[in-house]
Amino acid sequence: HVEGDVEPLGRGGTFLGQHVLTPRHGVAVQVNAFNFPVWGPLEKLAPAFLAGVPTLIKPASPTAFLTARLVELIVDSGLLPDGAVQFVAGSLGDAFDHLTGQDLVSFTGSAATAQTLRSHPGIVRNSVRFSAEADSLNLAALGPDAGPGTEEFDLFVKALTTEMTVKAGQKCTAIRRAFVPRAHVDAVVEAVTARLGKVVVGAPGAEGVRMGALASLDQREEVRRSVKALRDAGRIVFGDPDRVEVTGADADRGAFVSPLLLVGDPDRAEPHEVEAFGPVSTVLPYDTTEQLVDYAARGQGSLAGSVVSADPEFVREVVLGVAPFHGRVHVLNARDAGESTGHGSPLPQLVHGGPGRAGGGEEMGGVRGVFHHMQRTAVQADPDSLAAITGRWVAGARRHESDVHPFRKHLEELRPGDCLVAGPRRVTREDVEHFAEFTGDTFYAHMDEAAAAANPLFGQRVAHGYLVVSLAAGLFVDPDPGPVLANFGVDGLRFLTPVRFDDELTVTLTCKQLTPRESAGYGEVRWDADVTR
Protein backbone atom coordinates (compact mmCIF):
# COMPACT_ATOMS: atom_id res chain seq x y z
CA HIS A 1 0.00 0.00 0.00
CA VAL A 2 1.32 3.41 -0.99
CA GLU A 3 0.54 5.96 1.72
CA GLY A 4 0.24 9.69 1.31
CA ASP A 5 1.83 11.99 -1.22
CA VAL A 6 5.32 11.90 -2.64
CA GLU A 7 7.65 14.07 -0.55
CA PRO A 8 10.26 16.12 -2.46
CA LEU A 9 13.60 15.74 -0.69
CA GLY A 10 15.69 17.91 -3.00
CA ARG A 11 15.26 21.03 -5.09
CA GLY A 12 15.92 19.36 -8.43
CA GLY A 13 13.20 16.75 -8.20
CA THR A 14 15.62 13.82 -8.50
CA PHE A 15 15.41 12.70 -4.85
CA LEU A 16 11.98 11.81 -3.48
CA GLY A 17 10.41 10.15 -0.45
CA GLN A 18 7.34 7.95 -0.14
CA HIS A 19 5.82 5.87 2.65
CA VAL A 20 4.84 2.32 1.75
CA LEU A 21 3.19 -0.35 3.89
CA THR A 22 3.88 -4.06 3.50
CA PRO A 23 2.40 -7.06 5.36
CA ARG A 24 4.38 -8.24 8.34
CA HIS A 25 5.87 -11.73 7.99
CA GLY A 26 4.38 -12.99 11.21
CA VAL A 27 1.18 -13.99 12.94
CA ALA A 28 -1.55 -11.90 14.55
CA VAL A 29 -2.11 -13.56 17.92
CA GLN A 30 -5.46 -12.57 19.42
CA VAL A 31 -6.32 -13.30 23.03
CA ASN A 32 -10.00 -12.64 23.65
CA ALA A 33 -12.27 -12.13 26.66
CA PHE A 34 -15.17 -14.38 27.61
CA ASN A 35 -17.89 -11.84 26.83
CA PHE A 36 -17.44 -11.66 23.04
CA PRO A 37 -16.63 -15.20 21.83
CA VAL A 38 -17.81 -14.49 18.25
CA TRP A 39 -17.66 -10.76 17.54
CA GLY A 40 -14.28 -10.45 19.27
CA PRO A 41 -12.42 -12.89 17.00
CA LEU A 42 -14.10 -11.57 13.87
CA GLU A 43 -13.30 -7.88 14.45
CA LYS A 44 -9.64 -8.79 14.94
CA LEU A 45 -9.51 -11.33 12.09
CA ALA A 46 -10.91 -9.02 9.41
CA PRO A 47 -8.15 -6.36 9.29
CA ALA A 48 -5.39 -8.96 9.76
CA PHE A 49 -6.72 -10.99 6.84
CA LEU A 50 -7.01 -7.90 4.63
CA ALA A 51 -3.40 -7.06 5.51
CA GLY A 52 -2.26 -10.55 4.51
CA VAL A 53 -1.31 -11.66 8.03
CA PRO A 54 -2.54 -15.04 9.38
CA THR A 55 -4.40 -15.10 12.69
CA LEU A 56 -4.09 -17.31 15.76
CA ILE A 57 -7.29 -17.17 17.85
CA LYS A 58 -7.07 -17.88 21.55
CA PRO A 59 -10.47 -17.39 23.27
CA ALA A 60 -11.22 -17.23 26.98
CA SER A 61 -11.88 -20.71 28.33
CA PRO A 62 -15.45 -20.21 29.69
CA THR A 63 -16.90 -19.50 26.23
CA ALA A 64 -14.25 -21.15 24.03
CA PHE A 65 -16.78 -23.72 22.79
CA LEU A 66 -18.61 -20.95 20.91
CA THR A 67 -15.42 -19.66 19.31
CA ALA A 68 -14.46 -23.21 18.36
CA ARG A 69 -17.74 -23.58 16.48
CA LEU A 70 -17.18 -20.22 14.79
CA VAL A 71 -13.76 -21.34 13.54
CA GLU A 72 -15.21 -24.63 12.31
CA LEU A 73 -17.78 -22.74 10.26
CA ILE A 74 -15.09 -20.45 8.81
CA VAL A 75 -12.79 -23.33 7.89
CA ASP A 76 -15.60 -25.48 6.47
CA SER A 77 -16.77 -22.60 4.28
CA GLY A 78 -13.55 -22.84 2.25
CA LEU A 79 -13.48 -19.06 1.89
CA LEU A 80 -10.07 -18.56 3.47
CA PRO A 81 -6.71 -19.98 2.39
CA ASP A 82 -5.28 -22.82 4.46
CA GLY A 83 -3.41 -21.44 7.46
CA ALA A 84 -5.17 -18.06 7.43
CA VAL A 85 -6.86 -18.96 10.72
CA GLN A 86 -5.54 -21.08 13.59
CA PHE A 87 -7.29 -21.87 16.87
CA VAL A 88 -6.07 -22.75 20.34
CA ALA A 89 -8.39 -23.68 23.21
CA GLY A 90 -7.00 -23.48 26.71
CA SER A 91 -3.49 -22.28 27.49
CA LEU A 92 -1.13 -20.88 24.88
CA GLY A 93 1.71 -22.64 26.66
CA ASP A 94 5.07 -21.23 25.63
CA ALA A 95 3.74 -19.56 22.46
CA PHE A 96 4.85 -16.09 23.60
CA ASP A 97 8.43 -17.35 23.90
CA HIS A 98 8.42 -17.84 20.12
CA LEU A 99 7.13 -14.40 19.15
CA THR A 100 9.32 -12.33 16.85
CA GLY A 101 9.37 -8.70 15.83
CA GLN A 102 7.15 -9.61 12.88
CA ASP A 103 4.30 -10.89 15.07
CA LEU A 104 1.48 -8.96 16.72
CA VAL A 105 -0.58 -9.55 19.86
CA SER A 106 -4.09 -8.16 20.36
CA PHE A 107 -5.56 -8.67 23.81
CA THR A 108 -9.04 -8.06 25.22
CA GLY A 109 -9.63 -8.63 28.93
CA SER A 110 -8.66 -7.30 32.32
CA ALA A 111 -6.09 -4.58 32.88
CA ALA A 112 -4.13 -6.89 35.19
CA THR A 113 -3.81 -9.60 32.54
CA ALA A 114 -2.92 -7.01 29.91
CA GLN A 115 -0.09 -5.77 32.11
CA THR A 116 1.20 -9.32 32.60
CA LEU A 117 1.17 -10.07 28.88
CA ARG A 118 2.62 -6.71 27.88
CA SER A 119 5.63 -7.32 30.14
CA HIS A 120 6.25 -10.87 28.87
CA PRO A 121 9.98 -11.25 28.08
CA GLY A 122 9.23 -12.38 24.52
CA ILE A 123 7.18 -9.26 23.83
CA VAL A 124 9.66 -6.92 25.49
CA ARG A 125 12.74 -8.54 23.96
CA ASN A 126 11.47 -8.41 20.36
CA SER A 127 9.38 -5.22 20.59
CA VAL A 128 6.30 -7.17 19.56
CA ARG A 129 3.47 -4.87 18.53
CA PHE A 130 0.96 -5.18 21.38
CA SER A 131 -2.58 -3.80 21.50
CA ALA A 132 -4.84 -4.09 24.55
CA GLU A 133 -8.47 -3.39 25.24
CA ALA A 134 -9.04 -3.57 28.98
CA ASP A 135 -11.34 -2.44 31.80
CA SER A 136 -13.36 0.66 31.14
CA LEU A 137 -15.66 2.79 33.29
CA ASN A 138 -17.61 4.25 30.40
CA LEU A 139 -19.86 7.22 30.93
CA ALA A 140 -23.08 8.74 29.67
CA ALA A 141 -23.70 12.41 30.44
CA LEU A 142 -27.11 14.05 30.37
CA GLY A 143 -27.06 17.73 29.42
CA PRO A 144 -28.71 20.40 31.57
CA ASP A 145 -31.03 21.16 28.64
CA ALA A 146 -32.32 17.57 28.57
CA GLY A 147 -34.75 17.66 31.46
CA PRO A 148 -37.87 15.55 31.96
CA GLY A 149 -40.29 15.92 29.06
CA THR A 150 -37.58 16.37 26.42
CA GLU A 151 -36.81 13.74 23.83
CA GLU A 152 -33.18 13.76 24.95
CA PHE A 153 -34.20 12.83 28.50
CA ASP A 154 -36.10 9.82 27.20
CA LEU A 155 -33.18 8.84 24.96
CA PHE A 156 -30.80 8.97 27.93
CA VAL A 157 -33.04 6.76 30.07
CA LYS A 158 -33.49 4.25 27.25
CA ALA A 159 -29.76 4.16 26.47
CA LEU A 160 -28.83 3.60 30.10
CA THR A 161 -31.29 0.74 30.64
CA THR A 162 -30.32 -0.84 27.32
CA GLU A 163 -26.62 -0.80 28.17
CA MET A 164 -27.34 -2.26 31.60
CA THR A 165 -29.37 -5.21 30.29
CA VAL A 166 -28.00 -6.18 26.85
CA LYS A 167 -25.71 -9.19 27.36
CA ALA A 168 -26.57 -8.74 31.06
CA GLY A 169 -24.22 -5.76 31.06
CA GLN A 170 -21.21 -7.93 30.17
CA LYS A 171 -19.87 -5.48 27.62
CA CYS A 172 -16.62 -3.58 27.70
CA THR A 173 -18.51 -0.56 26.34
CA ALA A 174 -21.46 -0.67 28.79
CA ILE A 175 -22.36 2.52 30.68
CA ARG A 176 -20.96 2.27 34.23
CA ARG A 177 -21.13 5.97 35.20
CA ALA A 178 -24.27 7.97 34.39
CA PHE A 179 -23.61 11.67 35.00
CA VAL A 180 -26.80 13.64 35.56
CA PRO A 181 -27.41 17.32 36.47
CA ARG A 182 -28.19 17.37 40.17
CA ALA A 183 -31.64 18.82 39.51
CA HIS A 184 -32.59 15.84 37.31
CA VAL A 185 -31.23 12.96 39.43
CA ASP A 186 -34.54 12.00 41.03
CA ALA A 187 -36.36 12.12 37.69
CA VAL A 188 -33.70 9.93 36.03
CA VAL A 189 -33.79 7.40 38.86
CA GLU A 190 -37.58 7.24 38.69
CA ALA A 191 -37.63 6.79 34.90
CA VAL A 192 -34.83 4.20 34.81
CA THR A 193 -36.39 2.28 37.71
CA ALA A 194 -39.69 2.14 35.84
CA ARG A 195 -38.01 0.64 32.76
CA LEU A 196 -35.88 -1.80 34.75
CA GLY A 197 -38.98 -2.96 36.57
CA LYS A 198 -40.30 -4.33 33.28
CA VAL A 199 -37.15 -6.38 32.53
CA VAL A 200 -37.82 -10.11 32.90
CA VAL A 201 -34.70 -12.10 33.89
CA GLY A 202 -34.35 -15.77 33.03
CA ALA A 203 -33.69 -18.42 30.40
CA PRO A 204 -33.31 -16.81 26.97
CA GLY A 205 -35.85 -19.14 25.40
CA ALA A 206 -38.56 -18.48 27.99
CA GLU A 207 -41.52 -16.30 27.11
CA GLY A 208 -41.03 -12.60 27.86
CA VAL A 209 -37.41 -12.87 29.04
CA ARG A 210 -35.37 -9.77 28.25
CA MET A 211 -32.13 -10.47 30.13
CA GLY A 212 -30.24 -13.72 30.63
CA ALA A 213 -27.55 -14.95 32.98
CA LEU A 214 -23.95 -13.92 33.45
CA ALA A 215 -21.28 -16.08 31.84
CA SER A 216 -20.55 -18.11 34.99
CA LEU A 217 -21.22 -18.42 38.71
CA ASP A 218 -17.74 -17.06 39.35
CA GLN A 219 -18.65 -13.99 37.32
CA ARG A 220 -21.80 -13.53 39.43
CA GLU A 221 -19.71 -13.54 42.61
CA GLU A 222 -17.29 -11.05 41.08
CA VAL A 223 -20.19 -8.70 40.30
CA ARG A 224 -21.50 -9.00 43.85
CA ARG A 225 -18.08 -8.15 45.27
CA SER A 226 -17.83 -5.10 43.05
CA VAL A 227 -21.32 -3.91 43.98
CA LYS A 228 -20.41 -4.20 47.65
CA ALA A 229 -17.49 -1.83 47.03
CA LEU A 230 -19.70 0.59 45.10
CA ARG A 231 -22.21 0.66 47.96
CA ASP A 232 -19.52 2.18 50.16
CA ALA A 233 -19.85 5.32 48.02
CA GLY A 234 -23.58 5.25 47.39
CA ARG A 235 -26.83 3.37 47.69
CA ILE A 236 -28.80 0.89 45.59
CA VAL A 237 -32.03 2.38 44.25
CA PHE A 238 -33.10 -0.61 42.15
CA GLY A 239 -32.43 -4.33 42.44
CA ASP A 240 -30.96 -6.72 44.97
CA PRO A 241 -27.51 -8.22 44.36
CA ASP A 242 -28.37 -11.36 46.34
CA ARG A 243 -31.76 -12.29 44.95
CA VAL A 244 -33.66 -12.01 41.68
CA GLU A 245 -36.89 -13.43 40.32
CA VAL A 246 -36.05 -15.76 37.44
CA THR A 247 -38.29 -17.09 34.67
CA GLY A 248 -37.74 -20.53 33.15
CA ALA A 249 -34.58 -21.36 35.12
CA ASP A 250 -33.21 -22.04 38.59
CA ALA A 251 -32.08 -18.79 40.20
CA ASP A 252 -29.54 -20.58 42.39
CA ARG A 253 -27.97 -22.86 39.80
CA GLY A 254 -27.86 -20.23 37.06
CA ALA A 255 -25.60 -17.19 37.14
CA PHE A 256 -28.50 -14.77 37.34
CA VAL A 257 -28.35 -11.34 38.91
CA SER A 258 -30.81 -8.48 39.04
CA PRO A 259 -30.19 -5.24 37.16
CA LEU A 260 -28.70 -2.91 39.78
CA LEU A 261 -28.93 0.87 39.72
CA LEU A 262 -27.06 2.93 42.29
CA VAL A 263 -26.80 6.60 43.13
CA GLY A 264 -23.26 7.45 44.15
CA ASP A 265 -21.03 10.23 45.36
CA PRO A 266 -18.85 11.41 42.44
CA ASP A 267 -16.28 12.82 44.84
CA ARG A 268 -15.56 9.34 46.17
CA ALA A 269 -13.00 7.17 44.38
CA GLU A 270 -15.05 3.97 44.11
CA PRO A 271 -17.40 4.95 41.22
CA HIS A 272 -14.37 5.91 39.14
CA GLU A 273 -12.27 2.86 40.01
CA VAL A 274 -14.56 -0.15 40.54
CA GLU A 275 -16.17 -1.83 37.54
CA ALA A 276 -19.00 -4.28 38.21
CA PHE A 277 -18.94 -6.27 34.98
CA GLY A 278 -22.64 -6.98 34.81
CA PRO A 279 -26.01 -5.18 34.70
CA VAL A 280 -24.81 -2.44 37.04
CA SER A 281 -24.64 1.33 36.65
CA THR A 282 -24.22 4.27 39.03
CA VAL A 283 -25.96 7.63 38.69
CA LEU A 284 -23.58 10.45 39.65
CA PRO A 285 -24.78 14.06 40.05
CA TYR A 286 -22.85 17.07 38.73
CA ASP A 287 -23.37 20.83 38.99
CA THR A 288 -21.22 22.41 36.24
CA THR A 289 -19.79 21.36 32.89
CA GLU A 290 -16.27 21.88 34.24
CA GLN A 291 -17.06 19.55 37.12
CA LEU A 292 -18.49 16.93 34.73
CA VAL A 293 -15.31 16.92 32.65
CA ASP A 294 -13.22 16.56 35.80
CA TYR A 295 -15.30 13.60 37.00
CA ALA A 296 -15.05 11.96 33.59
CA ALA A 297 -11.25 12.11 33.70
CA ARG A 298 -11.20 10.29 37.03
CA GLY A 299 -12.09 7.09 35.18
CA GLN A 300 -8.46 7.12 33.93
CA GLY A 301 -9.37 6.19 30.37
CA SER A 302 -12.46 4.69 28.77
CA LEU A 303 -13.54 3.01 25.57
CA ALA A 304 -16.75 4.94 25.00
CA GLY A 305 -18.72 7.88 26.32
CA SER A 306 -22.09 9.34 25.39
CA VAL A 307 -23.22 12.95 25.62
CA VAL A 308 -27.00 13.29 25.44
CA SER A 309 -27.94 16.87 24.69
CA ALA A 310 -29.38 19.17 22.04
CA ASP A 311 -27.20 22.10 23.15
CA PRO A 312 -24.25 22.37 20.70
CA GLU A 313 -22.17 24.52 23.07
CA PHE A 314 -22.55 22.06 25.94
CA VAL A 315 -21.80 19.17 23.60
CA ARG A 316 -18.68 20.89 22.26
CA GLU A 317 -17.31 21.68 25.72
CA VAL A 318 -17.92 18.17 27.03
CA VAL A 319 -16.71 16.27 23.96
CA LEU A 320 -13.46 18.22 23.70
CA GLY A 321 -13.04 18.00 27.47
CA VAL A 322 -13.45 14.23 27.73
CA ALA A 323 -11.90 13.27 24.36
CA PRO A 324 -8.34 12.85 25.75
CA PHE A 325 -9.70 10.15 28.05
CA HIS A 326 -11.94 8.33 25.54
CA GLY A 327 -11.48 6.27 22.42
CA ARG A 328 -14.97 7.08 21.14
CA VAL A 329 -17.55 9.74 22.05
CA HIS A 330 -21.17 9.34 21.00
CA VAL A 331 -23.41 12.41 20.81
CA LEU A 332 -27.09 11.51 21.06
CA ASN A 333 -30.08 13.80 20.54
CA ALA A 334 -33.40 13.94 18.74
CA ARG A 335 -31.74 14.74 15.43
CA ASP A 336 -29.50 11.67 15.14
CA ALA A 337 -31.42 9.18 17.29
CA GLY A 338 -33.17 7.60 14.31
CA GLU A 339 -29.87 6.52 12.77
CA SER A 340 -27.70 6.19 15.87
CA THR A 341 -26.31 2.70 16.44
CA GLY A 342 -26.21 3.33 20.18
CA HIS A 343 -23.66 3.93 22.88
CA GLY A 344 -22.28 0.41 23.09
CA SER A 345 -21.83 -0.44 19.41
CA PRO A 346 -18.28 -0.29 18.03
CA LEU A 347 -18.33 0.27 14.27
CA PRO A 348 -15.79 -1.09 11.77
CA GLN A 349 -15.27 2.35 10.22
CA LEU A 350 -14.20 3.85 13.56
CA VAL A 351 -11.44 2.95 15.98
CA HIS A 352 -12.30 0.80 18.98
CA GLY A 353 -10.07 1.21 22.02
CA GLY A 354 -9.22 3.77 24.62
CA PRO A 355 -6.31 5.33 26.54
CA GLY A 356 -5.03 4.60 30.02
CA ARG A 357 -7.11 2.12 31.96
CA ALA A 358 -8.87 1.07 28.75
CA GLY A 359 -5.62 -0.45 27.50
CA GLY A 360 -4.22 2.14 25.12
CA GLY A 361 -5.06 0.09 22.03
CA GLU A 362 -6.91 0.76 18.80
CA GLU A 363 -8.74 -1.82 16.74
CA MET A 364 -10.76 -1.58 13.52
CA GLY A 365 -11.08 2.04 12.33
CA GLY A 366 -11.41 1.19 8.65
CA VAL A 367 -8.07 1.05 6.87
CA ARG A 368 -6.28 2.03 10.10
CA GLY A 369 -6.93 -1.46 11.44
CA VAL A 370 -5.36 -2.96 8.33
CA PHE A 371 -2.32 -0.70 8.60
CA HIS A 372 -1.81 -1.86 12.19
CA HIS A 373 -0.82 -5.25 10.76
CA MET A 374 1.63 -3.78 8.26
CA GLN A 375 5.05 -2.20 8.43
CA ARG A 376 5.34 1.43 7.38
CA THR A 377 8.63 2.04 5.57
CA ALA A 378 9.96 5.36 4.31
CA VAL A 379 11.49 4.88 0.86
CA GLN A 380 14.00 7.45 -0.47
CA ALA A 381 14.79 7.15 -4.15
CA ASP A 382 15.03 8.74 -7.57
CA PRO A 383 11.73 9.13 -9.48
CA ASP A 384 12.22 6.10 -11.76
CA SER A 385 13.11 3.78 -8.88
CA LEU A 386 10.21 5.07 -6.81
CA ALA A 387 7.81 4.51 -9.71
CA ALA A 388 9.09 0.96 -10.12
CA ILE A 389 8.74 0.23 -6.39
CA THR A 390 5.23 1.63 -5.99
CA GLY A 391 3.77 0.80 -9.39
CA ARG A 392 2.76 4.45 -9.75
CA TRP A 393 4.19 7.04 -12.08
CA VAL A 394 5.60 10.03 -10.16
CA ALA A 395 6.65 13.43 -11.40
CA GLY A 396 10.19 13.26 -12.74
CA ALA A 397 9.98 9.61 -13.78
CA ARG A 398 10.29 8.61 -17.42
CA ARG A 399 7.28 8.99 -19.68
CA HIS A 400 6.54 6.79 -22.69
CA GLU A 401 5.05 8.38 -25.79
CA SER A 402 3.66 6.23 -28.61
CA ASP A 403 1.64 6.62 -31.77
CA VAL A 404 -1.40 5.13 -30.01
CA HIS A 405 -3.49 7.57 -27.98
CA PRO A 406 -3.63 6.38 -24.33
CA PHE A 407 -7.45 6.50 -24.49
CA ARG A 408 -7.35 3.92 -27.30
CA LYS A 409 -5.55 1.39 -25.10
CA HIS A 410 -7.39 -1.19 -23.03
CA LEU A 411 -6.57 -1.52 -19.36
CA GLU A 412 -4.24 -4.48 -19.87
CA GLU A 413 -2.29 -2.51 -22.49
CA LEU A 414 -1.76 0.64 -20.44
CA ARG A 415 1.32 1.11 -18.32
CA PRO A 416 2.15 3.80 -15.75
CA GLY A 417 4.15 6.43 -17.60
CA ASP A 418 2.29 6.11 -20.91
CA CYS A 419 1.67 9.67 -22.01
CA LEU A 420 0.33 12.09 -24.61
CA VAL A 421 1.62 15.60 -25.28
CA ALA A 422 -0.93 17.85 -26.97
CA GLY A 423 -1.04 21.50 -28.00
CA PRO A 424 -0.34 24.28 -28.25
CA ARG A 425 -3.72 26.01 -27.92
CA ARG A 426 -3.79 29.81 -27.87
CA VAL A 427 -6.12 31.45 -25.33
CA THR A 428 -7.89 34.49 -26.76
CA ARG A 429 -9.88 37.37 -25.31
CA GLU A 430 -12.89 35.96 -27.15
CA ASP A 431 -12.43 32.58 -25.37
CA VAL A 432 -12.49 34.25 -21.97
CA GLU A 433 -15.50 36.47 -22.70
CA HIS A 434 -17.47 33.62 -24.26
CA PHE A 435 -16.73 31.39 -21.24
CA ALA A 436 -17.81 34.16 -18.85
CA GLU A 437 -21.08 34.71 -20.69
CA PHE A 438 -21.77 31.01 -21.15
CA THR A 439 -21.10 30.01 -17.50
CA GLY A 440 -22.08 33.20 -15.70
CA ASP A 441 -18.62 33.44 -14.10
CA THR A 442 -17.97 37.16 -14.57
CA PHE A 443 -15.46 37.52 -11.73
CA TYR A 444 -13.68 40.88 -12.06
CA ALA A 445 -10.24 39.33 -12.70
CA HIS A 446 -11.59 37.95 -15.97
CA MET A 447 -13.84 40.81 -17.11
CA ASP A 448 -12.89 44.14 -15.48
CA GLU A 449 -9.70 45.61 -16.91
CA ALA A 450 -9.15 48.25 -14.21
CA ALA A 451 -9.99 45.98 -11.27
CA ALA A 452 -7.81 43.20 -12.65
CA ALA A 453 -4.91 45.62 -13.09
CA ALA A 454 -5.19 46.56 -9.41
CA ASN A 455 -5.02 42.90 -8.34
CA PRO A 456 -1.46 42.31 -7.04
CA LEU A 457 -1.51 38.67 -8.19
CA PHE A 458 -2.51 39.31 -11.81
CA GLY A 459 -1.95 42.93 -12.93
CA GLN A 460 -4.25 42.40 -15.92
CA ARG A 461 -7.24 40.31 -17.00
CA VAL A 462 -6.65 36.57 -16.90
CA ALA A 463 -8.39 33.43 -18.12
CA HIS A 464 -10.68 31.41 -15.85
CA GLY A 465 -8.93 28.47 -14.24
CA TYR A 466 -11.79 26.20 -15.27
CA LEU A 467 -11.53 27.48 -18.83
CA VAL A 468 -7.92 26.32 -18.81
CA VAL A 469 -9.02 22.91 -17.50
CA SER A 470 -11.70 22.69 -20.21
CA LEU A 471 -9.26 23.63 -22.95
CA ALA A 472 -6.79 21.05 -21.66
CA ALA A 473 -9.48 18.38 -21.83
CA GLY A 474 -10.21 19.42 -25.38
CA LEU A 475 -6.56 18.89 -26.22
CA PHE A 476 -6.11 15.42 -24.72
CA VAL A 477 -9.54 13.78 -25.19
CA ASP A 478 -9.94 11.24 -27.98
CA PRO A 479 -13.50 11.73 -29.26
CA ASP A 480 -14.27 8.29 -30.66
CA PRO A 481 -15.95 5.48 -28.69
CA GLY A 482 -13.40 3.14 -27.16
CA PRO A 483 -12.12 1.61 -23.93
CA VAL A 484 -12.72 4.78 -21.88
CA LEU A 485 -16.11 4.66 -20.12
CA ALA A 486 -16.32 7.79 -17.99
CA ASN A 487 -14.43 10.46 -16.05
CA PHE A 488 -15.63 10.53 -12.47
CA GLY A 489 -13.57 13.23 -10.82
CA VAL A 490 -10.55 15.47 -10.49
CA ASP A 491 -8.18 15.26 -7.52
CA GLY A 492 -5.53 17.74 -6.48
CA LEU A 493 -6.43 20.48 -8.98
CA ARG A 494 -4.17 23.50 -8.56
CA PHE A 495 -3.77 26.78 -10.50
CA LEU A 496 -0.12 27.71 -10.04
CA THR A 497 0.28 30.58 -12.49
CA PRO A 498 -2.15 32.89 -14.31
CA VAL A 499 -2.99 32.42 -17.99
CA ARG A 500 -3.28 35.67 -19.93
CA PHE A 501 -4.64 36.52 -23.35
CA ASP A 502 -2.60 34.99 -26.19
CA ASP A 503 -0.78 32.53 -23.93
CA GLU A 504 -0.39 29.10 -25.54
CA LEU A 505 -1.29 25.98 -23.56
CA THR A 506 0.34 22.57 -23.80
CA VAL A 507 -0.93 19.57 -21.85
CA THR A 508 0.97 16.44 -20.93
CA LEU A 509 -1.35 13.59 -19.96
CA THR A 510 0.37 10.68 -18.18
CA CYS A 511 -1.02 7.38 -16.93
CA LYS A 512 -0.31 7.53 -13.22
CA GLN A 513 -1.95 4.48 -11.62
CA LEU A 514 -3.95 1.42 -12.69
CA THR A 515 -6.50 -0.29 -10.44
CA PRO A 516 -8.21 -3.30 -12.07
CA ARG A 517 -11.66 -4.11 -10.72
CA GLU A 518 -12.05 -7.56 -12.16
CA SER A 519 -15.37 -8.40 -10.53
CA ALA A 520 -16.90 -5.27 -12.09
CA GLY A 521 -15.47 -5.91 -15.55
CA TYR A 522 -13.60 -2.62 -15.72
CA GLY A 523 -10.79 -0.76 -14.00
CA GLU A 524 -9.83 2.68 -12.73
CA VAL A 525 -7.06 4.71 -14.32
CA ARG A 526 -5.66 7.79 -12.60
CA TRP A 527 -4.04 10.35 -14.87
CA ASP A 528 -1.61 13.16 -14.28
CA ALA A 529 -2.53 16.19 -16.39
CA ASP A 530 0.10 18.92 -16.46
CA VAL A 531 -0.86 22.12 -18.30
CA THR A 532 1.88 24.61 -19.10
CA ARG A 533 1.98 27.91 -20.96
Side-chain angles (χ1 to χ4, degrees):
H1 176 83
V2 181
E3 182 182 51
D5 297 327
V6 173
E7 300 289 345
L9 303 177
R11 292 186 177 182
T14 62
F15 189 45
L16 307 174
Q18 177 78 68
H19 288 100
V20 300
L21 292 104
T22 51
R24 289 188 160 218
H25 290 194
V27 176
V29 180
Q30 53 165 276
V31 182
N32 290 315
F34 72 86
N35 55 316
F36 278 101
V38 174
W39 181 86
L42 289 177
E43 63 97 3
K44 291 180 172 69
L45 168 63
F49 176 72
L50 291 173
V53 178
T55 293
L56 173 65
I57 299 174
K58 192 282 177 201
S61 296
T63 52
F65 63 95
L66 282 171
T67 310
R69 181 60 184 139
L70 167 71
V71 174
E72 287 177 351
L73 291 170
I74 292 173
V75 173
D76 291 346
S77 74
L79 291 172
L80 302 187
D82 289 344
V85 177
Q86 303 288 332
F87 174 80
V88 174
S91 171
L92 277 173
D94 65 350
F96 275 30
D97 293 333
H98 302 281
L99 294 172
T100 73
Q102 291 293 307
D103 298 312
L104 309 94
V105 175
S106 297
F107 170 78
T108 300
S110 72
T113 304
Q115 183 176 357
T116 299
L117 295 181
R118 198 192 301 268
S119 59
H120 187 281
I123 289 179
V124 175
R125 180 176 60 251
N126 295 311
S127 300
V128 175
R129 189 170 291 178
F130 185 91
S131 178
E133 178 206 313
D135 305 336
S136 183
L137 287 161
N138 309 292
L139 67 83
L142 182 68
D145 62 299
T150 65
E151 189 168 346
E152 283 72 28
F153 181 89
D154 295 337
L155 288 169
F156 179 85
V157 170
K158 182 179 179 181
L160 179 55
T161 53
T162 297
E163 290 299 314
M164 289 178 66
T165 56
V166 169
K167 289 177 67 70
Q170 298 169 112
K171 297 198 305 177
C172 53
T173 53
I175 297 170
R176 307 300 180 194
R177 299 179 296 163
F179 291 104
V180 175
R182 193 175 299 277
H184 301 329
V185 168
D186 290 342
V188 167
V189 169
E190 181 180 352
V192 174
T193 296
R195 290 184 69 95
L196 291 177
K198 299 176 183 178
V199 174
V200 178
V201 179
E207 183 70 24
V209 168
R210 297 296 300 277
M211 191 181 91
L214 299 178
S216 66
L217 293 173
D218 287 343
Q219 185 62 26
R220 183 179 66 179
E221 294 310 306
E222 178 62 31
V223 168
R224 286 174 173 170
R225 284 192 293 270
S226 298
V227 170
K228 183 178 180 181
L230 290 172
R231 291 178 73 174
D232 291 340
R235 68 186 192 281
I236 295 177
V237 293
F238 182 88
D240 185 334
D242 298 316
R243 58 188 300 272
V244 59
E245 185 177 337
V246 173
T247 298
D250 188 321
D252 294 323
R253 295 184 61 196
F256 297 99
V257 67
S258 166
L260 296 162
L261 182 69
L262 297 90
V263 174
D265 180 355
D267 288 313
R268 292 283 297 269
E270 291 88 344
H272 309 294
E273 295 179 357
V274 177
E275 180 182 20
F277 203 75
V280 183
S281 188
T282 303
V283 174
L284 301 167
Y286 73 90
D287 296 301
T288 67
T289 306
E290 183 180 18
Q291 189 181 57
L292 167 60
V293 171
D294 174 62
Y295 287 150
R298 297 186 190 187
Q300 302 171 41
S302 300
L303 295 171
S306 281
V307 182
V308 186
S309 171
D311 179 353
E313 290 305 312
F314 172 80
V315 167
R316 180 183 187 277
E317 190 173 350
V318 174
V319 170
L320 297 183
V322 306
F325 305 94
H326 287 75
R328 176 168 58 88
V329 181
H330 168 237
V331 177
L332 179 63
N333 51 42
R335 185 170 186 181
D336 67 2
E339 292 187 327
S340 169
T341 52
H343 166 95
S345 299
L347 298 171
Q349 304 96 318
L350 302 176
V351 294
H352 177 56
R357 175 175 177 151
E362 283 190 358
E363 296 177 353
M364 301 191 297
V367 74
R368 295 176 182 84
V370 180
F371 291 170
H372 174 75
H373 296 83
M374 305 177 78
Q375 176 61 43
R376 179 178 288 104
T377 302
V379 178
Q380 300 164 284
D382 64 278
D384 288 320
S385 296
L386 195 58
I389 292 166
T390 62
R392 297 180 179 183
W393 180 85
V394 299
R398 292 186 181 91
R399 293 184 170 99
H400 315 292
E401 289 189 68
S402 71
D403 296 333
V404 181
H405 192 291
F407 284 13
R408 309 307 306 167
K409 295 182 179 181
H410 290 273
L411 193 68
E412 59 271 18
E413 298 174 294
L414 270 173
R415 296 291 181 272
D418 288 355
C419 78
L420 169 76
V421 180
R425 165 66 155 87
R426 190 167 67 90
V427 180
T428 67
R429 177 189 297 268
E430 290 74 19
D431 289 333
V432 173
E433 293 179 349
H434 172 72
F435 190 82
E437 180 182 0
F438 180 69
T439 63
D441 181 354
T442 56
F443 185 61
Y444 76 87
H446 312 306
M447 301 300 292
D448 187 325
E449 198 77 56
N455 186 312
L457 295 178
F458 303 135
Q460 64 184 79
R461 288 171 64 185
V462 296
H464 305 72
Y466 295 106
L467 170 61
V468 173
V469 172
S470 300
L471 294 176
L475 289 172
F476 67 64
V477 165
D478 184 283
D480 296 328
V484 176
L485 299 178
N487 173 12
F488 62 88
V490 178
D491 299 325
L493 177 62
R494 294 290 184 273
F495 304 113
L496 302 180
T497 188
V499 174
R500 300 181 172 88
F501 300 155
D502 295 324
D503 281 347
E504 293 188 333
L505 304 179
T506 299
V507 59
T508 303
L509 183 75
T510 308
C511 176
K512 185 174 182 178
Q513 180 184 353
L514 302 167
T515 307
R517 304 195 184 282
E518 296 175 5
S519 61
Y522 59 84
E524 174 189 306
V525 181
R526 290 180 177 259
W527 303 89
D528 180 88
D530 186 31
V531 185
T532 57
R533 64 176 173 87

